């Protein structure tokens, strides 16, 4: 079987299995398992492949046909330009979530710049306090670790109820050389002190909607990280209610939200005393991030 035949075979199997992006994934599998990229393919499409490599490819292809996510099979996913380890203990990082990180990083950097302008001498700068960031429901750690990598002045804490998720997050922090603190607990349980930023991508899919999701999501990603209970807002309510007790004055909160949850989030945050509440769009033009500031009275 030539390389061309193999690529055709991969495409046909993925398409038959209902994989929407079968063309892209065919090339990924070819490069990952056979170590053949597009340039090598076009230089030698009629070349042959070692039998042991074909057997490895067939094993992975069978799992992908069963709708095991490609990222879990590969054990990694790129997020904000960094490679994160992932498995079925954590959600797969999405590009939509990068919008949250980008907004937070921009704000952290702006605040940092403003603070520097207030210093009069080197001693003041040396004693400058770090920006404290809490990544709640951290999962793989992709949000908090990315913030730490992009804002070295940030002091980042990752928190999750799942021991398995924290094991993955710890591995990612070590692999990416990110000095972060990890805490296990149910939302703010075991969290001490106050923060300048709380970032969170909590479970927000209504329970009854989950069964209708793609097989990759409903059958393989952790339900604990998906299920936002009856209306998808349960975790937002809990976090918003408790967050002021863990925010410094003028502390900021950033949530990833569902595309139809913007108005509810504005109401929930405003009712709790947050100001400058805004909903930001993702790259598809859908509501995706809700932000607000809490000014301590």
């Amino acid at each position: 079987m030539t390389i061309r035949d193999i690529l055709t075979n991969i495409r046909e199997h993925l398409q038959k299995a209902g994989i929407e992006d079968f063309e892209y994934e065919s090339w990924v599998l070819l490069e990952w398992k056979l170590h053949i990229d597009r340039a090598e393919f076009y230089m030698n499409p009629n070349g042959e492949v070692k039998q042991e490599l074909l057997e490895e490819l067939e094993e992975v292809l069978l799992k992908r046909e069963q709708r095991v996510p490609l990222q879990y099979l590969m054990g990694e996913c790129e997020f904000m330009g960094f490679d994160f380890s992932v498995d079925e203990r954590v959600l797969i990082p999405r590009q939509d979530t990068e919008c949250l990180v980008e907004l937070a990083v921009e704000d952290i950097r702006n605040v940092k710049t403003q603070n520097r302008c207030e210093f009069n001498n080197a001693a003041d700068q040396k004693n400058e306090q770090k920006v404290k960031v809490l990544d709640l429901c951290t999962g793989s750690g992709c949000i908090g670790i990315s913030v730490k990598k992009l804002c070295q002045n940030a002091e980042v804490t990752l928190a999750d109820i799942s021991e398995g998720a924290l094991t993955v997050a710890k591995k990612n922090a070590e692999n990416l050389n990110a000095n972060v603190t990890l805490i296990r607990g149910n939302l703010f349980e075991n969290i001490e002190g106050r923060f300048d930023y709380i970032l969170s991508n909590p479970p927000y899919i209504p329970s009854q909607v989950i069964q209708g999701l793609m097989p990759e999501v409903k059958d393989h990603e952790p339900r604990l990280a998906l299920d936002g209970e009856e209306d998808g807002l349960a975790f937002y309510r809990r976090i918003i209610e408790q967050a002021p007790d863990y925010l410094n004055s003028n502390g900021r909160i950033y949530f990833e939200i569902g595309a139809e949850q913007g108005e509810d989030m504005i109401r929930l945050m405003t009712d709790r005393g947050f100001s400058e509440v805004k909903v930001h769009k993702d790259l598809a033009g859908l509501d995706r991030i809700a932000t607000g500031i809490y000014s301590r009275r």
Side-chain angles (χ1 to χ4, degrees), residues 90-124:
V90 298
L91 287 182
I92 297 167
R94 264 76 168 180
Q95 188 175 19
D96 291 339
T97 308
E98 292 187 349
C99 298
L100 186 156
V101 175
E102 290 167 354
L103 283 170
V105 166
E106 180 182 12
D107 196 51
I108 291 170
R109 288 175 173 173
N110 286 341
V111 170
K112 180 74 170 179
T113 301
Q114 292 167 8
N115 287 344
R116 280 195 177 278
C117 293
E118 298 174 0
F119 293 130
N120 297 318
N121 54 54
D124 286 336

Short mmCIF file of all heavy atoms in Angstrom, two decimals, residues 90-124:
data_model
loop_
_atom_site.label_atom_id
_atom_site.label_comp_id
_atom_site.label_asym_id
_atom_site.label_seq_id
_atom_site.Cartn_x
_atom_site.Cartn_y
_atom_site.Cartn_z
N VAL A 90 -9.74 15.80 31.76
CA VAL A 90 -9.90 17.25 31.59
C VAL A 90 -10.57 17.57 30.26
O VAL A 90 -10.50 16.79 29.31
CB VAL A 90 -8.53 17.99 31.65
CG1 VAL A 90 -7.87 17.79 33.00
CG2 VAL A 90 -7.61 17.52 30.51
N LEU A 91 -11.21 18.73 30.22
CA LEU A 91 -11.74 19.22 28.95
C LEU A 91 -10.59 19.52 28.00
O LEU A 91 -9.50 19.90 28.41
CB LEU A 91 -12.54 20.51 29.16
CG LEU A 91 -13.91 20.45 29.82
CD1 LEU A 91 -14.52 21.85 29.86
CD2 LEU A 91 -14.83 19.49 29.09
N ILE A 92 -10.87 19.38 26.72
CA ILE A 92 -9.90 19.77 25.70
C ILE A 92 -9.94 21.29 25.55
O ILE A 92 -11.02 21.85 25.33
CB ILE A 92 -10.24 19.09 24.36
CG1 ILE A 92 -10.14 17.57 24.50
CG2 ILE A 92 -9.31 19.60 23.25
CD1 ILE A 92 -10.74 16.80 23.34
N PRO A 93 -8.83 21.99 25.69
CA PRO A 93 -8.83 23.45 25.53
C PRO A 93 -9.35 23.84 24.15
O PRO A 93 -9.00 23.24 23.13
CB PRO A 93 -7.35 23.81 25.68
CG PRO A 93 -6.77 22.71 26.51
CD PRO A 93 -7.50 21.48 26.07
N ARG A 94 -10.21 24.87 24.14
CA ARG A 94 -10.80 25.36 22.89
C ARG A 94 -10.23 26.72 22.51
O ARG A 94 -9.82 27.50 23.38
CB ARG A 94 -12.32 25.51 23.05
CG ARG A 94 -13.13 24.32 22.57
CD ARG A 94 -13.08 23.16 23.49
NE ARG A 94 -14.10 22.14 23.15
CZ ARG A 94 -14.26 21.03 23.80
NH1 ARG A 94 -13.50 20.75 24.85
NH2 ARG A 94 -15.18 20.15 23.43
N GLN A 95 -10.31 27.01 21.23
CA GLN A 95 -9.85 28.31 20.75
C GLN A 95 -10.69 29.43 21.34
O GLN A 95 -10.18 30.52 21.61
CB GLN A 95 -9.90 28.36 19.22
CG GLN A 95 -9.25 29.61 18.63
CD GLN A 95 -9.21 29.57 17.12
OE1 GLN A 95 -9.95 28.83 16.48
NE2 GLN A 95 -8.35 30.38 16.53
N ASP A 96 -11.98 29.17 21.57
CA ASP A 96 -12.85 30.20 22.16
C ASP A 96 -12.30 30.67 23.51
O ASP A 96 -12.41 31.85 23.86
CB ASP A 96 -14.27 29.64 22.37
CG ASP A 96 -15.00 29.40 21.06
OD1 ASP A 96 -14.61 30.02 20.05
OD2 ASP A 96 -15.95 28.60 21.05
N THR A 97 -11.74 29.74 24.27
CA THR A 97 -11.22 30.08 25.59
C THR A 97 -10.00 30.99 25.50
O THR A 97 -9.69 31.72 26.44
CB THR A 97 -10.89 28.80 26.38
OG1 THR A 97 -12.03 27.93 26.35
CG2 THR A 97 -10.53 29.10 27.82
N GLU A 98 -9.31 30.96 24.37
CA GLU A 98 -8.17 31.86 24.19
C GLU A 98 -8.62 33.32 24.27
O GLU A 98 -7.84 34.19 24.68
CB GLU A 98 -7.49 31.59 22.85
CG GLU A 98 -6.79 30.24 22.80
CD GLU A 98 -5.97 30.06 21.54
OE1 GLU A 98 -6.12 30.89 20.60
OE2 GLU A 98 -5.19 29.10 21.47
N CYS A 99 -9.88 33.59 23.90
CA CYS A 99 -10.40 34.96 23.98
C CYS A 99 -10.36 35.46 25.42
O CYS A 99 -10.04 36.63 25.68
CB CYS A 99 -11.83 35.02 23.45
SG CYS A 99 -12.01 34.58 21.71
N LEU A 100 -10.69 34.58 26.38
CA LEU A 100 -10.65 34.96 27.79
C LEU A 100 -9.22 35.29 28.21
O LEU A 100 -8.98 36.31 28.86
CB LEU A 100 -11.21 33.82 28.64
CG LEU A 100 -11.39 34.07 30.14
CD1 LEU A 100 -12.46 33.13 30.70
CD2 LEU A 100 -10.11 33.88 30.92
N VAL A 101 -8.29 34.43 27.84
CA VAL A 101 -6.89 34.65 28.21
C VAL A 101 -6.36 35.95 27.60
O VAL A 101 -5.69 36.74 28.26
CB VAL A 101 -6.01 33.46 27.78
CG1 VAL A 101 -4.54 33.74 28.06
CG2 VAL A 101 -6.45 32.19 28.52
N GLU A 102 -6.67 36.18 26.34
CA GLU A 102 -6.19 37.39 25.67
C GLU A 102 -6.71 38.65 26.34
O GLU A 102 -5.97 39.62 26.54
CB GLU A 102 -6.60 37.35 24.19
CG GLU A 102 -5.84 36.30 23.38
CD GLU A 102 -6.45 36.04 22.02
OE1 GLU A 102 -7.55 36.59 21.75
OE2 GLU A 102 -5.86 35.28 21.24
N LEU A 103 -7.99 38.66 26.70
CA LEU A 103 -8.56 39.82 27.38
C LEU A 103 -7.91 40.04 28.75
O LEU A 103 -7.56 41.16 29.12
CB LEU A 103 -10.07 39.63 27.56
CG LEU A 103 -10.95 39.84 26.32
CD1 LEU A 103 -12.36 39.36 26.61
CD2 LEU A 103 -10.97 41.30 25.90
N ALA A 104 -7.75 38.96 29.50
CA ALA A 104 -7.17 39.07 30.84
C ALA A 104 -5.71 39.52 30.77
O ALA A 104 -5.28 40.39 31.53
CB ALA A 104 -7.28 37.73 31.57
N VAL A 105 -4.95 38.94 29.87
CA VAL A 105 -3.53 39.29 29.74
C VAL A 105 -3.37 40.76 29.34
O VAL A 105 -2.53 41.47 29.90
CB VAL A 105 -2.84 38.37 28.71
CG1 VAL A 105 -1.48 38.94 28.30
CG2 VAL A 105 -2.69 36.97 29.27
N GLU A 106 -4.19 41.21 28.42
CA GLU A 106 -4.13 42.61 28.02
C GLU A 106 -4.40 43.52 29.21
O GLU A 106 -3.71 44.53 29.41
CB GLU A 106 -5.14 42.88 26.91
CG GLU A 106 -5.14 44.33 26.42
CD GLU A 106 -6.16 44.59 25.34
OE1 GLU A 106 -7.04 43.73 25.11
OE2 GLU A 106 -6.12 45.68 24.72
N ASP A 107 -5.39 43.17 30.01
CA ASP A 107 -5.75 43.99 31.16
C ASP A 107 -4.65 43.95 32.23
O ASP A 107 -4.29 44.98 32.80
CB ASP A 107 -7.07 43.52 31.75
CG ASP A 107 -7.68 44.56 32.69
OD1 ASP A 107 -7.79 45.72 32.28
OD2 ASP A 107 -8.01 44.20 33.83
N ILE A 108 -4.11 42.77 32.50
CA ILE A 108 -3.04 42.63 33.48
C ILE A 108 -1.83 43.47 33.06
O ILE A 108 -1.22 44.16 33.88
CB ILE A 108 -2.65 41.16 33.67
CG1 ILE A 108 -3.79 40.39 34.36
CG2 ILE A 108 -1.36 41.02 34.48
CD1 ILE A 108 -3.62 38.89 34.37
N ARG A 109 -1.50 43.42 31.81
CA ARG A 109 -0.35 44.19 31.32
C ARG A 109 -0.61 45.69 31.42
O ARG A 109 0.30 46.46 31.76
CB ARG A 109 -0.02 43.79 29.89
CG ARG A 109 0.61 42.41 29.77
CD ARG A 109 0.80 42.01 28.33
NE ARG A 109 1.55 40.76 28.21
CZ ARG A 109 1.74 40.11 27.06
NH1 ARG A 109 1.22 40.61 25.94
NH2 ARG A 109 2.44 39.00 27.03
N ASN A 110 -1.82 46.10 31.12
CA ASN A 110 -2.16 47.52 31.21
C ASN A 110 -2.08 48.01 32.65
O ASN A 110 -1.54 49.09 32.93
CB ASN A 110 -3.56 47.78 30.66
CG ASN A 110 -3.61 47.70 29.15
OD1 ASN A 110 -2.58 47.80 28.49
ND2 ASN A 110 -4.79 47.49 28.60
N VAL A 111 -2.61 47.21 33.57
CA VAL A 111 -2.55 47.58 34.99
C VAL A 111 -1.10 47.63 35.45
O VAL A 111 -0.70 48.53 36.18
CB VAL A 111 -3.35 46.56 35.84
CG1 VAL A 111 -3.09 46.78 37.33
CG2 VAL A 111 -4.84 46.70 35.55
N LYS A 112 -0.30 46.70 34.99
CA LYS A 112 1.11 46.66 35.36
C LYS A 112 1.83 47.92 34.88
O LYS A 112 2.60 48.55 35.62
CB LYS A 112 1.77 45.43 34.73
CG LYS A 112 3.26 45.27 35.04
CD LYS A 112 3.45 44.82 36.46
CE LYS A 112 4.92 44.43 36.69
NZ LYS A 112 5.13 44.02 38.08
N THR A 113 1.54 48.31 33.64
CA THR A 113 2.16 49.51 33.08
C THR A 113 1.76 50.76 33.86
O THR A 113 2.58 51.62 34.18
CB THR A 113 1.77 49.68 31.60
OG1 THR A 113 2.18 48.52 30.88
CG2 THR A 113 2.43 50.90 31.00
N GLN A 114 0.48 50.85 34.21
CA GLN A 114 0.00 52.00 34.98
C GLN A 114 0.67 52.06 36.35
O GLN A 114 1.07 53.11 36.82
CB GLN A 114 -1.52 51.91 35.14
CG GLN A 114 -2.28 52.10 33.83
CD GLN A 114 -3.74 51.69 33.96
OE1 GLN A 114 -4.22 51.41 35.04
NE2 GLN A 114 -4.43 51.65 32.83
N ASN A 115 0.83 50.89 36.98
CA ASN A 115 1.47 50.85 38.29
C ASN A 115 2.92 51.29 38.22
O ASN A 115 3.42 52.00 39.10
CB ASN A 115 1.39 49.43 38.88
CG ASN A 115 -0.01 49.08 39.34
OD1 ASN A 115 -0.84 49.96 39.50
ND2 ASN A 115 -0.26 47.79 39.53
N ARG A 116 3.61 50.90 37.16
CA ARG A 116 5.01 51.27 37.04
C ARG A 116 5.18 52.78 36.94
O ARG A 116 6.16 53.34 37.42
CB ARG A 116 5.63 50.60 35.80
CG ARG A 116 5.99 49.15 36.03
CD ARG A 116 6.92 48.65 34.94
NE ARG A 116 7.33 47.29 35.19
CZ ARG A 116 8.30 46.92 35.99
NH1 ARG A 116 8.94 47.85 36.69
NH2 ARG A 116 8.63 45.66 36.15
N CYS A 117 4.22 53.43 36.31
CA CYS A 117 4.30 54.89 36.14
C CYS A 117 4.21 55.61 37.49
O CYS A 117 4.61 56.78 37.60
CB CYS A 117 3.19 55.38 35.21
SG CYS A 117 3.36 54.81 33.51
N GLU A 118 3.68 54.92 38.49
CA GLU A 118 3.52 55.55 39.80
C GLU A 118 4.77 55.44 40.66
O GLU A 118 4.89 56.09 41.69
CB GLU A 118 2.33 54.91 40.54
CG GLU A 118 1.00 55.12 39.80
CD GLU A 118 -0.13 54.35 40.46
OE1 GLU A 118 0.15 53.66 41.47
OE2 GLU A 118 -1.26 54.42 39.97
N PHE A 119 5.73 54.59 40.26
CA PHE A 119 6.92 54.41 41.07
C PHE A 119 7.92 55.53 40.83
O PHE A 119 8.12 55.97 39.69
CB PHE A 119 7.59 53.05 40.75
CG PHE A 119 6.75 51.89 41.16
CD1 PHE A 119 6.49 50.86 40.27
CD2 PHE A 119 6.20 51.82 42.42
CE1 PHE A 119 5.71 49.79 40.63
CE2 PHE A 119 5.41 50.74 42.80
CZ PHE A 119 5.16 49.73 41.91
N ASN A 120 8.59 55.96 41.88
CA ASN A 120 9.54 57.06 41.78
C ASN A 120 10.99 56.60 41.79
O ASN A 120 11.88 57.33 41.36
CB ASN A 120 9.33 58.05 42.93
CG ASN A 120 7.96 58.69 42.87
OD1 ASN A 120 7.50 59.05 41.79
ND2 ASN A 120 7.31 58.81 44.02
N ASN A 121 11.24 55.40 42.30
CA ASN A 121 12.63 54.95 42.36
C ASN A 121 12.71 53.43 42.29
O ASN A 121 11.70 52.72 42.32
CB ASN A 121 13.30 55.44 43.65
CG ASN A 121 12.51 55.05 44.90
OD1 ASN A 121 12.22 53.87 45.07
ND2 ASN A 121 12.16 56.02 45.73
N ALA A 122 13.94 52.94 42.21
CA ALA A 122 14.16 51.50 42.04
C ALA A 122 13.66 50.72 43.24
O ALA A 122 13.18 49.60 43.11
CB ALA A 122 15.65 51.23 41.81
N ALA A 123 13.77 51.30 44.44
CA ALA A 123 13.31 50.61 45.65
C ALA A 123 11.82 50.34 45.59
O ALA A 123 11.35 49.27 45.98
CB ALA A 123 13.65 51.43 46.88
N ASP A 124 11.05 51.32 45.07
CA ASP A 124 9.61 51.13 44.95
C ASP A 124 9.31 49.98 44.00
O ASP A 124 8.43 49.15 44.25
CB ASP A 124 8.95 52.41 44.43
CG ASP A 124 8.87 53.49 45.51
OD1 ASP A 124 8.90 53.13 46.70
OD2 ASP A 124 8.81 54.68 45.15
#
